[in-house]
């Protein structure tokens, strides 16, 4: 949790989240609750609504000529079906799931409940705080949907074949997050060496670097408007290209609350 200040503006806060449903993560530290309660605006990466959830589902599950059955052998289809079942995807839908959607699901821990970001949104709504999103659904999904089919299948294959290790790594990332080790979390996340290095470099640039610049730019109007609570993924915060540095470059004073 970081305090954002500039002369003439009200104090705002930037909170690094982790997109999981773990009960330990959902047990918010008191300073986070206090900061949220003191804010007039709540800003997250992308606002979710029932209508947007339905739109997302339609984009994730849409039959195309590039079905998984045409791209994977039976053994891989069976393994993919099993893994997706852990993420509450019925077998009947495996045939129409988009490869990028299957990849995304497998890169989160399985389980029921709500994500941390959704909990914060619900809290803001309950407190009648104005809520905003920094990105549209299409902007977020385009990072993956604009990959060609071969690239999407490569991501999926890497994830299916390394699923157990990925889940173990997610557990470690949650531990680092709970211990509030932001730099260690970023370093751990960046250590992967997978089959197609150019593809992952391309993905990291679109997923982190370009989005950091976009989010930092779009955060500014809310900071200038009123006391705001900004909640974005913790991996967007650190480093020279991170949102914290980008806001400092815009003459904001960034102070860690913890």
């Amino acid at each position: 949790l970081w305090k954002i200040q500039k002369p003439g503006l009200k104090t705002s806060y930037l909170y690094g989240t982790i997109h999981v449903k773990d009960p330990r993560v959902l047990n918010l530290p008191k300073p986070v609750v206090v900061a949220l309660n003191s804010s007039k605006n709540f800003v997250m990466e992308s606002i979710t609504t029932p209508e947007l959830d339905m739109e997302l589902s339609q984009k994730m599950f849409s039959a195309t000529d590039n079905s998984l059955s045409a791209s994977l052998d039976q053994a891989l289809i069976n393994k993919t079906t099993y893994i997706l079942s852990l993420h509450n995807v019925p077998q009947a839908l495996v045939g129409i799931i988009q490869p990028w959607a299957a990849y995304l699901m497998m890169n989160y821990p399985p389980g029921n409940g709500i994500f941390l970001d959704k909990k914060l949104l619900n809290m803001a709504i309950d407190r009648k705080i104005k809520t905003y999103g920094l990105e549209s659904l299409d902007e977020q999904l385009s990072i993956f949907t604009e990959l060609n089919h071969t690239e999407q299948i490569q991501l999926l294959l890497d994830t299916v074949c390394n699923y157990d290790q990925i889940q173990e790594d997610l557990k470690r990332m949650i531990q680092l997050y709970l211990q509030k080790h932001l730099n260690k979390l970023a370093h751990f996340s960046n250590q992967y060496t997978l089959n197609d290095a150019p593809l992952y470099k391309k993905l990291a640039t679109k997923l982190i670097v370009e989005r950091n610049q976009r989010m930092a730019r779009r955060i500014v109007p809310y900071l200038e408007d009123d006391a705001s609570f900004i909640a974005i993924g913790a991996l967007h915060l650190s480093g020279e290209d991170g949102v914290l540095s980008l806001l400092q470059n815009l003459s904001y004073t960034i102070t860690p609350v913890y």
Side-chain angles (χ1 to χ4, degrees):
L1 181 65
W2 303 79
K3 186 182 295 184
I4 308 175
Q5 296 172 304
K6 182 186 271 191
L9 300 180
K10 294 183 180 179
T11 297
S12 293
Y13 293 89
L14 180 59
Y15 182 48
T17 67
I18 185 168
H19 309 316
V20 298
K21 306 171 184 177
D22 191 298
R24 296 169 298 171
V25 171
L26 294 175
N27 184 21
L28 292 169
K30 185 176 179 180
V32 174
V33 178
V34 172
L36 179 60
N37 288 341
S38 69
S39 300
K40 300 300 182 182
N41 299 322
F42 172 80
V43 186
M44 61 191 298
E45 291 181 24
S46 179
I47 288 289
T48 60
T49 64
E51 293 77 18
L52 285 174
D53 288 343
M54 178 64 70
E55 182 182 345
L56 174 60
S57 180
Q58 291 172 345
K59 291 178 182 292
M60 293 174 69
F61 300 96
S62 57
T64 67
D65 293 335
N66 296 319
S67 64
L68 293 186
S69 59
S71 306
L72 306 179
D73 63 33
Q74 192 57 49
L76 283 170
I77 291 174
N78 292 342
K79 187 169 184 179
T80 301
T81 300
Y82 168 71
I83 294 173
L84 288 175
S85 72
L86 302 178
H87 294 262
N88 302 316
V89 178
Q91 183 175 352
L93 294 181
V94 173
I96 60 171
I97 192 171
Q98 294 295 304
W100 61 264
Y103 160 77
L104 281 178
M105 283 188 177
M106 294 178 186
N107 277 273
Y108 290 100
N112 299 312
I114 63 171
F115 289 98
L116 171 58
D117 309 71
K118 179 67 171 177
K119 175 175 180 175
L120 292 167
L121 174 62
N122 291 343
M123 290 172 62
I125 292 172
D126 288 343
R127 289 158 175 74
K128 294 180 170 48
I129 299 171
K130 292 180 287 186
T131 60
Y132 304 94
L134 294 171
E135 299 174 307
S136 69
L137 176 63
D138 285 340
E139 283 177 324
Q140 289 190 325
L141 293 186
S142 67
I143 297 167
F144 304 98
T145 58
E146 290 179 0
L147 297 173
N148 63 48
H149 183 69
T150 300
E151 291 173 325
Q152 292 184 32
I153 290 296
Q154 183 64 63
L155 291 176
L156 177 59
L157 284 174
D158 286 342
T159 305
V160 170
C161 295
N162 296 281
Y163 180 76
D164 291 341
Q165 184 60 53
I166 289 170
Q167 292 302 314
E168 287 301 313
D169 288 347
L170 285 170
K171 292 177 184 178
R172 177 60 178 153
M173 291 179 70
I174 291 172
Q175 289 175 345
L176 292 172
Y177 180 84
L178 291 169
Q179 294 165 4
K180 303 178 178 64
H181 288 314
L182 180 58
N183 287 333
K184 289 183 180 179
L185 180 65
H187 177 74
F188 186 84
S189 175
N190 291 332
Q191 72 178 357
Y192 295 103
T193 54
L194 291 170
N195 296 337
D196 189 355
L199 172 56
Y200 286 93
K201 184 176 181 179
K202 172 182 175 180
L203 189 61
T205 299
K206 290 182 172 294
L207 194 59
I208 301 295
V209 178
E210 292 180 4
R211 291 181 66 218
N212 287 355
Q213 296 168 353
R214 181 165 65 206
M215 287 194 286
R217 184 173 65 251
R218 293 180 181 178
I219 282 171
V220 169
Y222 299 108
L223 302 180
E224 295 180 348
D225 173 62
D226 210 329
S228 298
F229 185 98
I230 319 293
I232 61 176
L235 293 177
H236 292 288
L237 300 187
S238 63
E240 293 182 1
D241 296 320
V243 171
L244 292 173
S245 292
L246 294 175
L247 290 176
Q248 283 182 318
N249 293 341
L250 294 173
S251 301
Y252 289 92
T253 300
I254 310 294
T255 309
V257 177
Y258 63 75

